[in-house]
Amino acid sequence: VVEVLDGDDGAGGLLGHGHEPTPRPRRSARPWGARFSSVGAMSPRFRSSDGTPFTERFEVAGANLVDVVKRIFAEGNTRRITIRDRSGKELLAIPMSWGVTGAGGGLGRQHALALAARGAKVVVNDLGGAQSVVDEIKAAGGEALANAASVTDFVAVQAMVQQAVDAWGRVDILINNAGILRDKSFAKMELADFQLVVDVHLMGSVNCTKAVWALMNEQKYGRIVMTTSSSGLYGNFGQSNYGAAKLALVGLMQTLSLEGAKNHIHVNCLAPTAATAMTAGLMPEAVLAALKPEAGVPAMLVLAAEGAPTRTILWAGAGTFEAAHITLTPGIHLGIGGDVPEQLAERLAEVTN
């Protein structure tokens, strides 16, 4: 079952400003080789069982669902498409416009291709490879724009966001994926390499998020995915710069998920395990072959969907998915007496268990 929500109020005003879409004529017959059985008239009064508004709902049979979604978005004036099973359970919600940084290759490329294949309009950001990914998306019938801004340049990032707004009127999703490696043990690492990695991973994500934050608050909707790593959550020899930046992104996500909640901005972290240009030579070939970048895409789609959780750290790699949690042990109470240091040392195993 496909539910379509039109993208404006009939007078050019975008949804997300506290009003429902006005009724509009039913779309013309769609000659896509599919059978459409309409199960809902186009009216702002219609809502799904979970309260999601829609202006048209129909069942699709005899056609490729991805192709149907792309064609609906191509008709224009579409704010969101929601895919449900026959029981009404939401399978995937696809907003109109997405932005993916670091999307010229590896994980970012797979993210961009997957989003475009589902009808999303994508700004592909990469210092060198964006245009080839855009060409690939367009060749498959999708819509995308290339952007070569460095995520470390806030002014350039603001221009990138404006590029999306000028083209499509809004930005619904931001995938912060840009990154580099400068691996060395801390003893041998130059501070310039530490700073560079932090600037790209952490401050690059800060810059991109800041550039869309006011817009998402105004439209009362947003989905932001930060890319973290096991190196940040648990450490990895030779990656003090990378690990520090990646764990900082978890802290950023934790706070922004709270600040964005009132305006329906969901912020999450994806921790992918994938073989990319950044990991070449770091793992045996047999392991790298199993860690295809596209294996992380399902987790990204879930975290960026309309029904996404918020404040979640989701792991993905080689077809396996897990959640990471930052938590506390039950602990013990020792008071504030003068012998507390000695008591704590003696009972430390109880605290850490």
Side-chain angles (χ1 to χ4, degrees), residues 94-115:
I94 309 170
M96 178 182 70
S97 176
W98 310 60
V100 184
T101 65
L107 285 165
R109 173 178 173 273
Q110 294 298 328
H111 291 338
L113 293 176
L115 294 168

Side-chain angles (χ1 to χ4, degrees), residues 74-315:
E75 289 180 345
N77 200 40
T78 300
R79 163 70 176 84
R80 186 189 65 246
I81 295 175
T82 304
I83 311 298
R84 300 182 185 274
D85 63 18
R86 289 181 180 272
S87 71
K89 179 182 178 181
E90 180 182 307
L91 302 177
L92 185 65
I94 309 170
M96 178 182 70
S97 176
W98 310 60
V100 184
T101 65
L107 285 165
R109 173 178 173 273
Q110 294 298 328
H111 291 338
L113 293 176
L115 294 168
R118 285 157 176 81
K121 300 173 182 179
V122 185
V123 173
V124 179
N125 167 266
D126 194 82
L127 289 177
Q131 188 58 54
S132 63
V133 178
V134 168
D135 291 344
E136 195 171 350
I137 290 171
K138 289 183 175 180
E143 188 171 348
L145 296 172
N147 183 279
S150 168
V151 294
T152 63
D153 183 344
F154 182 59
V155 173
V157 168
Q158 287 179 303
M160 175 181 68
V161 172
Q162 190 61 49
Q163 180 185 12
V165 172
D166 290 343
W168 303 312
R170 58 189 294 129
V171 176
D172 293 301
I173 307 293
L174 170 65
I175 310 296
N176 284 311
N177 180 75
I180 59 171
L181 290 178
R182 293 293 186 271
D183 292 351
K184 283 185 180 179
S185 68
F186 192 61
K188 297 179 180 179
M189 184 178 297
E190 298 291 336
L191 283 179
D193 282 340
F194 197 106
Q195 185 69 58
L196 179 60
V197 169
V198 170
D199 284 345
V200 173
H201 287 273
L202 175 58
M203 292 310 300
S205 296
V206 169
N207 288 338
C208 293
T209 303
K210 181 66 173 176
V212 301
W213 194 250
L215 176 64
M216 288 183 172
N217 274 282
E218 180 183 355
Q219 65 193 26
K220 297 187 184 302
Y221 183 90
R223 297 292 181 265
I224 298 172
V225 179
M226 310 286 186
T227 305
T228 187
S229 168
S230 60
S231 297
L233 292 163
Y234 304 111
N236 191 33
F237 189 93
Q239 291 194 314
S240 58
N241 49 6
Y242 181 76
K246 288 304 190 184
L247 188 56
L249 286 170
V250 174
L252 178 65
M253 176 274 290
Q254 297 274 15
T255 297
L256 293 184
S257 65
L258 298 175
E259 295 184 5
K262 67 179 180 179
N263 285 327
H264 311 291
I265 301 173
H266 292 193
V267 190
N268 296 287
C269 278
L270 172 64
T273 301
T276 69
M278 288 205 308
T279 60
L282 298 181
M283 304 177 189
E285 286 300 322
V287 175
L288 293 173
L291 296 174
K292 296 181 179 180
E294 51 265 39
V297 169
M300 179 276 298
L301 290 173
V302 168
L303 293 179
E306 183 157 355
T310 193
R311 209 176 181 184
T312 296
I313 306 168
L314 195 58
W315 287 60

